[in-house]
Amino acid sequence: MLGTPRRHFRRTDSTNQRLRELAERGAPHGTLVTAEAQTAGRGRHGRIWTAPPNRALLLSLLLRDPPHLLSLAAGVAVAEVCGPETKLKWPNDVLIDGRKVAGILVEGRPQHHWAILGIGLNVALRPDDFPPELQHTAGTLAQPMEAIEPILARLLDRLSAWTVAEDQAVLDAVRQRDALRGQPVSWTGGRGTAAGIDQQGRLIVATDAGHLTLDSGEVHLVA
Ligand code: BTN
């Protein structure tokens, strides 16, 4: 079962950073770091990740010998906890009604066969908790703060299943929740129409010049 041992901080810089240090000192597979607040939460593409104290589930999990579709598998696990209508915006933004309720940041040392899975899930944020620039794009489960620990327990259960699932099962689950399919999208260097997920977990995009695949980077929905 993932989540043992666990270190919990009332306040830390970044749970990913704390866990990285533990990983380098030999912490076992499944080690969990959680925090009530972060002062330097890290997001994808070098962005910061913020949440008011005690309003979000902030966690990092150490996976030794991680599956190569970890980033997608984690998205499926978080989406299952958030509910049947939850969608995934490739690679792993978790959306409810088009608003991002959770972000996932995988960092690691492939040469040392470990990865840190960092998840921020907006469990109990209120609309006013979001900074102005996120008011129209960020979402929340709008649960009470007391829901954070039970949601963590459910998430660890789902992650325990999805991080050992067959690739095909992960891909099928991602495709069922694909928020981008059929939508106009843009990325650095082009635009097209999202056309699903390939067998390696890459985003397929139809463009005027034919189909291409994106294996990293950021994709935007074109308004
Ligand atoms: C994203 O940009 O979508 C990913 C955000 C990931 C944020 C989480 S919060 C817990 C963990 N610790 C961090 O510093 N980042 C991740």
Side-chain angles (χ1 to χ4, degrees), residues 14-16 38 41-44 49 58-60 93 100 103-105 118-120:
S14 155
T15 56
N16 271 29
Q38 295 182 124
R42 298 207 283 254
R44 295 178 64 225
W49 183 267
L58 305 168
L59 74 95
S60 299
D93 283 349
K100 179 166 169 173
I104 296 170
L105 175 66
I119 300 174

Side-chain angles (χ1 to χ4, degrees), residues 30-50:
T31 300
L32 173 68
V33 173
T34 52
E36 289 163 28
Q38 295 182 124
T39 55
R42 298 207 283 254
R44 295 178 64 225
H45 308 293
R47 286 193 285 258
I48 57 164
W49 183 267
T50 58

